[in-house]
Amino acid sequence: MNKSKFNIIILLIGVFFLSTSAIFVKVLDASAAVIAFYRLFFSGLMMLPVVLLNKRLRNELISLTTKQYFLGCISGLLLASHYVLWFESLNYTSVASSTVIVTLQPIFAVLTGYLFLKERVNHIGIMGIVLSIFGSGFIGWQDFQSNTLVLYGDFLALLASMLITGYFFVGQSLRRHISAVGYSLLGYFSSAMILFAYGILQQTTFTGYTRETWALFLCMAIFSTIFGQMLINWVLKWLNTTTVSVVMLTEVIWATLLSILILNERITNKQIGGIIIIIVGLLIYSYREKIELRVEKRSCKGK
C-alpha cells in the first residue's frame, strides 16, 4: 500500500470518529455549553503531557508574541461559539440536517475569500456553490414544513458553519508560526475558558452529573477530538485540500447512518434529496479546475 492510500484511509477513519460528535450530543443530558466545555477541556488535558514533555513544543508556545496569543484567543472564541451553536441546533433538528449544513463550511470559505481577499472562482465552482446553497434551502424548506423549531435548528447549524470558517481563517495565520499540536492546545484551552465563563454567566452547573455522563464526556474527547479532529489535522500535511474536502463529505453519511442505528432517527426522502444535492454541489466545487479543463479540451476538439 502506497503512502497516499494509507493517508486517505487514516483520513477516512478520522472523519468517521469525527462524525460521532452529533451522536454524543444527542445522548448527553447536559447543555450545549457544558458538552462543548468538557469536550475541549478533556482534549486539552490529554494533549498537555505531549507538549510539556517535548522541548520544541514548549519553546514554541513560550516564544509566541502577544498578537499571536490574542489570535489564539480569537480562534478559541470562534471555536467555542461554533460548538455551542452546532450542539444547540441538535436539540431542534436531526443529525442528518444539522451535519450536512455544517459541512457547507467550504462554501463560506470561498465567499469570504472572494469578498475580502479578492480570490476568484471559475464558473464551474460557482455552479457547485449555488447547487449546495440550493440543497441547504431544500432541506430548510422541508424542515420548515414539518416544524418551525426544526428550521431554527437548521439556522443555528448554518451560523455554526460560518463561525468555523472564521476559525479556519484565523488558524491559517497562526499555523505559519506554530505546530498543529501547539495550535490545537492553545485553541482548546482558550475555548474551554470562554465556555466556562459563558456557562457561569448562564448559571449553568458544571458538576453533579452521573458516572455515565462523565464517561460520555471523556469518550467524546477521545473519539470525536483525538481520534477524529486531531487525526484529520495530522494527515493534512500529506494530502491536498481537494482530497480532504471530498473525503470530509463522508461525515454526513457516517453521522446519518449512526443516527439511524443508535438514535432511531427517521430520514425523509426530501432530506436525502437535499443531502445528495449538497454533496454533488461540493464535489463539483472541489473538482472545479479538473472539470473546467475537461470542458475546454472537449470544446477544442469540437472545433
Side-chain angles (χ1 to χ4, degrees):
M1 182 186 295
N2 61 43
K3 192 172 182 179
S4 178
K5 288 182 179 179
F6 174 76
N7 286 325
I8 289 173
I9 290 172
I10 295 297
L11 178 59
L12 280 167
I13 293 170
V15 173
F16 169 76
F17 280 112
L18 185 66
S19 70
T20 62
S21 297
I23 308 302
F24 279 116
V25 175
K26 282 283 193 179
V27 298
L28 274 163
D29 186 19
S31 69
V34 171
I35 296 171
F37 168 77
Y38 281 117
R39 172 181 179 170
L40 294 168
F41 181 68
F42 286 154
S43 297
L45 281 182
M46 284 183 279
M47 291 173 59
L48 191 59
V50 176
V51 175
L52 293 177
L53 295 172
N54 188 303
K55 186 178 180 180
R56 182 183 62 81
L57 291 174
R58 287 201 313 272
N59 291 336
E60 185 181 72
L61 287 174
I62 293 170
S63 62
L64 291 177
T65 64
T66 303
K67 181 182 177 181
Q68 288 168 339
Y69 274 116
F70 176 73
L71 284 174
C73 291
I74 295 297
S75 172
L77 175 63
L78 291 168
L79 185 62
S81 303
H82 161 76
Y83 276 134
V84 168
L85 288 172
W86 181 34
F87 292 172
E88 189 65 29
S89 77
L90 289 162
N91 291 324
Y92 301 97
T93 191
S94 68
V95 169
S97 292
S98 181
T99 304
V100 75
I101 291 171
V102 166
T103 56
L104 285 170
Q105 177 270 324
I107 302 303
F108 291 116
V110 172
L111 293 175
T112 303
Y114 177 79
L115 293 173
F116 299 103
L117 304 177
K118 305 303 178 183
E119 295 176 352
R120 294 293 177 261
V121 182
N122 61 31
H123 296 300
I124 303 296
I126 292 172
M127 185 190 304
I129 291 171
V130 171
L131 197 61
S132 295
I133 293 172
F134 174 76
S136 179
F138 190 79
I139 290 174
W141 177 248
Q142 158 69 15
D143 288 345
F144 174 74
Q145 288 181 312
S146 62
N147 190 327
T148 53
L149 283 177
V150 177
L151 183 63
Y152 174 67
D154 293 342
F155 177 68
L156 291 179
L158 193 66
L159 290 179
S161 182
M162 293 178 183
L163 287 167
I164 200 65
T165 303
Y167 169 76
F168 286 134
F169 270 101
V170 175
Q172 282 179 353
S173 174
L174 270 178
R175 282 285 283 115
R176 297 191 190 105
H177 313 283
I178 188 170
S179 65
V181 174
Y183 172 65
S184 297
L185 185 70
L186 182 61
Y188 292 167
F189 273 134
S190 60
S191 289
M193 287 189 289
I194 291 166
L195 288 163
F196 186 75
Y198 173 75
I200 295 297
L201 289 173
Q202 295 291 314
Q203 298 183 334
T204 303
T205 177
F206 286 87
T207 58
Y209 295 103
T210 63
R211 289 182 181 179
E212 289 78 10
T213 301
W214 287 114
L216 286 171
F217 284 145
L218 187 59
C219 285
M220 189 178 190
I222 294 171
F223 294 112
S224 302
T225 305
I226 303 301
F227 289 164
Q229 204 169 57
M230 286 301 297
L231 211 57
I232 293 167
N233 289 341
W234 181 69
V235 297
L236 284 175
K237 183 177 180 179
W238 296 283
L239 295 176
N240 61 51
T241 306
T242 300
T243 302
V244 173
S245 298
V246 172
V247 175
M248 285 293 291
L249 292 176
T250 61
E251 182 184 357
V252 179
I253 299 169
W254 293 125
T256 301
L257 289 174
L258 289 172
S259 70
I260 293 170
L261 294 171
I262 298 172
L263 305 175
N264 294 318
E265 283 193 354
R266 292 184 179 181
I267 310 300
T268 66
N269 290 332
K270 289 183 179 179
Q271 279 180 309
I272 293 172
I275 289 171
I276 291 171
I277 291 170
I278 289 175
I279 290 176
V280 169
L282 290 175
L283 283 171
I284 289 172
Y285 169 75
S286 298
Y287 286 105
R288 62 194 181 279
E289 292 178 358
K290 290 183 179 180
I291 294 172
E292 187 176 50
L293 190 61
R294 288 185 180 181
V295 170
E296 287 178 356
K297 284 182 177 178
R298 286 182 181 178
S299 119
C300 288
K301 285 181 180 179
K303 292 178 182 178

